[in-house]
Amino acid sequence: MWSEYVGTELTAPQFAVLLVLALEPGADQRTVGERASLDKATMAEMVARLVRRGLVLRRRDPADGRRKLLALSQSGAQAVREATGGVVRVQRTLFEPLSPDEQLEIVRVMSKIARLEPAAVAVMNDARPTLDAQRAIGYLIRVAQQVHTKLWSEKVGAELTAPQYAVLDALETEPGADQRTVGELASLDKATMAEMVSRLVRRGLVLRRRDPSDGRRNLLSLSPAGQELLHRSAAGVREVQELLLAPLDPDEHEPAMSLLAKTARL
């Protein structure tokens, strides 16, 4: 939705940084990173990129040479104005499958999964609850994804990414399936799937061959090495899933998954 309504010139995390600076001009880099829920290394790299693009101005704090103060350039302010309509449309479209009560509930659930402080959740639901919920959902999805990435790194490691695991798991379920079908099972678009399969083939984890009855189709299957890595990673993946939902009460798990599936149009 972001790609469709906002475009590729500005990512969601970049927009978050620019929006913080529109609201808090002259804030230091650490504060902006905290407001945008970005770790120190990611924030430093992103600011450097935004400075090179002429969207952000950066200078040393004259009172403390260790701090970097940031502000929007004129081009940065214009980028925020041009993107805002699309961002609002993304947020509203994400919520279209949900009733107003479900919108408030998924914000509560996602806030728990994202490990947000209760005070931050209260601010989101003040004054105009449904509108504030719509504004919050994209942010909560991004922060929850960061939590998932951190847990994945700790429990599964760097040998296999979550989308790669989804592809290997789909191939164990449907050995010999064509590439398009596997991409649908793993919820990956055509271009991403093609690139990922090529990488997995080069690593010797997936076997690929042309369909003898249709030369346009690639048929995929797990190699022995791919099957071994899939099984070796399974316990860590289960632990990630359990830890991701750990902030929720056990009786909240099933309703939460139902709401997430509805939002994802599954």
Side-chain angles (χ1 to χ4, degrees), residues 152 156-162 164-165 168 200 203 205 229 233:
W152 188 277
V156 182
E159 197 173 3
L160 201 62
T161 67
Q164 288 171 345
Y165 179 87
L168 299 187
L200 293 171
R203 290 178 60 192
L205 302 176
L229 180 56
S233 304

Side-chain angles (χ1 to χ4, degrees), residues 208-223:
R208 177 174 56 190
R209 65 185 179 90
R210 288 290 182 185
D211 184 347
S213 64
D214 183 349
R216 297 168 299 177
R217 295 201 316 166
N218 288 323
L219 303 181
L220 307 177
S221 58
L222 283 178
S223 70

Side-chain angles (χ1 to χ4, degrees), residues 5-6 10 15 75-87:
Y5 298 139
V6 183
L10 209 59
F15 178 80
S75 296
Q78 181 179 349
V80 171
R81 288 193 297 270
E82 291 176 351
T84 296
V87 173

